[in-house]
Amino acid sequence: MTPWQAAKIGDPVQAIDTPALILDLAPFERNLQRMALALQGSAVRLRAHAKSHKCPEIARRQLALGAVGICCQKVSEAAVFVAAGILDIVITNQVVGAPKLLHLAALARQARIGVLVDGPEQIAALAEVAQAQQVRFDVYVEVNVGSNRCGTAPGEAAAQLAQQIAAAPALHFAGLQCYHGSAQHYRQPAERAAAIALTCDAARETRAAIERLGIRVEQIMGAGTGSFQHERDSGIFTEIQAGSYIFMDRDYAANVRAAGELVFEHALFILTTVMSRVEPSRAIVDAGLKASSVDSGMPGVWQRDDLQYVKASDEHGVINTPAAESLSLGERLRLVPGHCDPTVNLYDEIICVRDNQVEAIWSVAARGALL
Amino acid sequence: MTPWQAAKIGDPVQAIDTPALILDLAPFERNLQRMALALQGSAVRLRAHAKSHKCPEIARRQLALGAVGICCQKVSEAAVFVAAGILDIVITNQVVGAPKLLHLAALARQARIGVLVDGPEQIAALAEVAQAQQVRFDVYVEVNVGSNRCGTAPGEAAAQLAQQIAAAPALHFAGLQCYHGSAQHYRQPAERAAAIALTCDAARETRAAIERLGIRVEQIMGAGTGSFQHERDSGIFTEIQAGSYIFMDRDYAANVRAAGELVFEHALFILTTVMSRVEPSRAIVDAGLKASSVDSGMPGVWQRDDLQYVKASDEHGVINTPAAESLSLGERLRLVPGHCDPTVNLYDEIICVRDNQVEAIWSVAARGALL
């Protein structure tokens, strides 16, 4: 950890040491409200994905506005949120191996814990640990709806897994996970609409196959920031799992929006300082690979279309500049991360700012919770 | 942080929970020895780059084998090492802004602290804080020797900065930083040799320009794992700053070696588990973007040429497999990170293994030290 903090509460933004992860509270709160409003009057509930923020302070604000619970991606991530009092969590992932299953059982003594499966061996292992530890898991079948990552085939294959879950005394078949991850980032609205239409077909077909076995499908979950209005309006989804809407990264902002599609605002930034200014056409800032994940492209420079962040090394960022006078040594910029989730995971704290002042500092309590 | 540890000392490797960062001590120790041997009998000393490992346990082992000190990339990173008793540190970076300069002065009361500059404003700021805080900094002029990142032009421009440093009572002109970062990864040995030949020309020209002013150039530093034999044999470099040689990542291993070029072994791995196995041609492992930085390409699968890690999302890795039977659910693999430095920065601990057992667990004490 950094042996000192980048800022303290009450500091002006200008006094924050860099690089620092800052959350602009006004657009963040508008994003929270916008999502809550988008689901108002619908039967679909938000189960916010906490892998984006790893921060209990943010999860509480999502629950306060109507989220039914949260998603986590790892058992240890969920443990951090349970310890913080978040008591309805679905781990939207497969959980494999004895150490993880024992930790999962320990969590299920304290909270409502859901977990995904996409094969019979995982169900057998969950059933065994639940029985031995005298806990109950809510188990969802993950269906491959087009992302070709985890997930069983839709229809009969999924129905067989549902039947196996329903037959296990310590497991409860809770429904389906139908998340189309790749579709979130299809640039054209028509591509996203078409992909989610197929997702909904797969979900309907699978639900029907399971219901033919006399098994009830309580929940159908999925969706993300890039597509959730389609799932909301599908008549089949019951919970949506958007996470990035609170922050908005550069990659999501690159999606072309359809008419009527909700727009979320950039609220999360990396504050950085120009630390070298030798060539007129080049500035070097103090935020590199360890300050901003570049897996989905370089960060953008906020409200400075004349500047391009073009290259990152460990602790340097190279910015192309039109002229020497466009940026001076010591000047500070806000960067918009290419991908928020792995960027937040690089920081111990989120520095929350409003009206040019540090209002709060929130712990990224689940940072590094990989197990 | 993860609320529990992936392993404890004495565990068999098979019991380590995943994903985990593991260091295979036998090849790691051979890498340490190989570098020490490569510099034996030469006037050139190793100043190992600690940004690669961020781990005092490793820095101590480098010093024990003859390293003259370490490099850090950030003031807060250096502070972690000073607190751990490493007392000769060069921050191979520009340090800009009042908060950082005050922390730098605090370190200079406890250790020999060097720092780079590439412009007159940085020198003025360093001189002012050193005078006010009654400390002394060793200041090196960073020369742009071809990487086009930080660094002043070679020759007269650098000499003017040296003169400015030499004239400041609280600053000591310690020499030149002539690091060619891009050249480390040029794939062909002839390209690396040619780039470092030009680097050495620039260093010689700059040294001569400074000596013409009657100022002594004590140290010429630079080099990395991909090129250090050239700098070692140049007759002009005095310190080399290799860091990755201890771990070796996939990107460095992709360099074609010249005859006689030293080979370092992969010693750092991500241990991962297959958590989904639905399609015969695809396995999903539990190590994604938050377990392995992909800035320099996807991780490799150690000793499994039949498997390709092709895609990473936050907590999933997609592996192409030749057939269903090639990899089973729960099976464990070692991944070779594409780029070690930002990968190590994702973990709180390095799990050190030897003879299939956990021998030690070392803290990545400077993880996240961005300031």
Side-chain angles (χ1 to χ4, degrees), chain A residues 2 18-19 286 290-291 315 346-347, chain B residues 74 76 100 368-371:
Chain A
T2 297
T18 66
D286 63 2
K290 292 177 184 171
E315 306 279 16
L346 298 170
Y347 291 85
Chain B
K74 293 283 180 165
S76 61
K100 285 192 174 57
L370 276 166
L371 299 178

Side-chain angles (χ1 to χ4, degrees), chain A residues 35 39 44-52 62 68-73 90-93 116 140 142 149 176-181 184 219-228 231 237-245 252 341:
Chain A
M35 177 60 83
L39 299 180
V44 178
R45 299 288 295 277
L46 176 66
R47 176 177 293 281
H49 215 308
K51 79 181 172 79
S52 301
Q62 294 174 312
V68 69
I70 63 169
C71 304
C72 286
Q73 207 71 327
V90 176
I91 295 164
T92 47
N93 209 343
L116 311 187
Y140 301 77
E142 180 164 12
R149 201 172 65 176
L176 303 177
Q177 169 80 352
C178 297
Y179 174 60
H180 196 323
Q184 305 307 311
Q219 304 289 341
I220 297 185
M221 311 185 297
T225 297
S227 75
F228 79 96
E231 284 94 340
F237 276 81
T238 62
E239 289 183 3
I240 69 156
Q241 301 173 343
S244 300
Y245 73 99
Y252 264 121
D341 301 16

Side-chain angles (χ1 to χ4, degrees), chain A residues 62-357:
Chain A
Q62 294 174 312
L63 295 175
L65 286 174
V68 69
I70 63 169
C71 304
C72 286
Q73 207 71 327
K74 293 281 179 164
V75 178
S76 62
E77 192 175 75
V80 172
F81 285 95
V82 170
I86 313 291
L87 302 180
D88 187 334
I89 302 180
V90 176
I91 295 164
T92 47
N93 209 343
Q94 277 60 37
V95 175
V96 171
K100 285 190 174 59
L101 290 170
L102 283 172
H103 283 295
L104 194 72
L107 293 183
R109 284 196 196 95
Q110 308 168 64
R112 204 283 287 190
I113 296 293
V115 60
L116 311 187
V117 296
D118 65 2
E121 290 178 67
Q122 297 151 349
I123 300 170
L126 281 169
E128 191 184 321
V129 78
Q131 186 111 30
Q133 298 294 315
Q134 298 195 285
V135 296
R136 195 184 95 137
F137 298 126
D138 281 355
V139 183
Y140 301 77
V141 173
E142 180 164 12
V143 182
N144 180 5
V145 292
S147 272
N148 296 326
R149 201 172 65 176
C150 296
T152 190
E156 289 307 323
Q160 284 175 29
L161 296 181
Q163 197 165 33
Q164 186 188 349
I165 298 164
L171 304 184
H172 172 67
F173 173 66
L176 303 177
Q177 169 80 352
C178 297
Y179 174 60
H180 196 323
S182 333
Q184 305 307 311
H185 308 278
Y186 293 167
R187 290 297 176 234
Q188 294 304 320
E191 297 173 290
R192 295 196 294 281
I196 303 306
L198 291 175
T199 294
C200 292
D201 290 347
R204 264 186 218 99
E205 173 200 345
T206 306
R207 184 176 68 178
I210 295 171
E211 287 176 345
R212 278 197 296 275
L213 299 173
I215 299 169
R216 193 172 153 236
V217 180
E218 293 166 21
Q219 304 289 341
I220 297 185
M221 311 185 297
T225 297
S227 75
F228 79 96
Q229 289 175 271
H230 298 296
E231 284 94 340
R232 178 195 64 185
D233 301 337
S234 67
I236 182 155
F237 276 81
T238 62
E239 289 183 3
I240 69 156
Q241 301 173 343
S244 300
Y245 73 99
I246 54 172
F247 294 147
M248 283 302 284
D249 52 41
R250 196 187 184 189
D251 191 57
Y252 264 121
N255 280 359
V256 178
R257 263 63 153 248
E261 192 170 341
L262 269 183
V263 177
F264 296 96
E265 301 172 58
H266 291 303
L268 189 80
F269 304 93
I270 297 147
L271 193 66
T272 189
T273 301
V274 176
M275 62 176 180
S276 168
R277 198 70 179 98
V278 176
E279 290 292 323
S281 62
R282 185 172 71 232
I284 312 297
V285 295
D286 63 2
L289 294 172
K290 292 177 184 171
S292 183
S293 186
V294 301
D295 62 272
S296 301
M298 295 295 141
V301 186
W302 176 237
Q303 294 183 329
R304 288 296 301 264
D305 291 342
D306 58 327
L307 306 176
Q308 282 85 43
Y309 186 116
V310 291
K311 199 177 165 204
S313 44
D314 279 8
E315 306 279 16
H316 297 76
V318 179
I319 291 191
N320 282 351
T321 59
E325 59 273 18
S326 59
L327 206 53
S328 54
L329 190 78
E331 199 169 329
R332 293 145 71 91
L333 298 168
R334 287 186 180 196
L335 304 178
V336 179
H339 186 183
C340 284
D341 301 16
T343 297
V344 171
N345 188 50
L346 298 170
Y347 291 85
D348 293 297
E349 292 174 336
I350 300 173
I351 297 173
C352 305
V353 303
R354 193 194 310 269
D355 297 336
N356 215 32
Q357 207 174 35

Side-chain angles (χ1 to χ4, degrees), chain A residues 1-6 15 17-20 51-52 54 73-77 79-80 92-96 99-100 103 107 118-119 121-122 142 144 147-153 182 273-279 282 284 286-287 289-291 293-295 311 313-316 318 329-330 339 341-342 345-348 364-371, chain B residues 1-6 15 17-20 51-52 54 73-77 79-80 92-96 99-100 103 107 118-119 121-122 142 144 147-153 182 273-279 282 284 286-287 289-291 293-295 311 313-316 318 329-330 339 341-342 345-348 364-371:
Chain A
M1 268 186 78
T2 297
W4 51 81
Q5 290 194 293
D17 200 3
T18 66
K51 79 181 172 79
S52 301
K54 290 177 167 278
Q73 207 71 327
K74 293 281 179 164
V75 178
S76 62
E77 192 175 75
V80 172
T92 47
N93 209 343
Q94 277 60 37
V95 175
V96 171
K100 285 190 174 59
H103 283 295
L107 293 183
D118 65 2
E121 290 178 67
Q122 297 151 349
E142 180 164 12
N144 180 5
S147 272
N148 296 326
R149 201 172 65 176
C150 296
T152 190
S182 333
T273 301
V274 176
M275 62 176 180
S276 168
R277 198 70 179 98
V278 176
E279 290 292 323
R282 185 172 71 232
I284 312 297
D286 63 2
L289 294 172
K290 292 177 184 171
S293 186
V294 301
D295 62 272
K311 199 177 165 204
S313 44
D314 279 8
E315 306 279 16
H316 297 76
V318 179
L329 190 78
H339 186 183
D341 301 16
N345 188 50
L346 298 170
Y347 291 85
D348 293 297
V364 186
R367 183 212 55 75
L370 276 166
L371 300 179
Chain B
M1 266 185 79
T2 297
W4 51 81
Q5 290 194 293
D17 200 2
T18 66
K51 80 181 171 78
S52 301
K54 289 178 169 277
Q73 208 70 329
K74 293 283 180 165
V75 178
S76 61
E77 191 175 75
V80 172
T92 46
N93 210 342
Q94 277 60 37
V95 174
V96 171
K100 285 192 174 57
H103 284 295
L107 293 183
D118 64 2
E121 290 178 66
Q122 298 151 351
E142 180 164 13
N144 179 5
S147 274
N148 297 325
R149 200 173 65 178
C150 296
T152 189
S182 333
T273 301
V274 176
M275 63 175 179
S276 168
R277 198 71 179 97
V278 176
E279 290 292 323
R282 183 172 73 233
I284 311 298
D286 62 3
L289 295 171
K290 292 177 184 170
S293 186
V294 300
D295 62 272
K311 197 175 168 208
S313 44
D314 279 9
E315 307 278 15
H316 297 76
V318 179
L329 190 77
H339 187 184
D341 300 16
N345 188 50
L346 298 170
Y347 290 85
D348 293 298
V364 186
R367 183 213 54 75
L370 276 166
L371 299 178

Side-chain angles (χ1 to χ4, degrees), chain B residues 210-229:
Chain B
I210 296 171
E211 287 176 346
R212 278 196 298 275
L213 300 172
I215 300 169
R216 194 172 151 236
V217 180
E218 293 167 21
Q219 304 289 341
I220 298 185
M221 312 185 298
T225 296
S227 76
F228 78 95
Q229 288 174 272

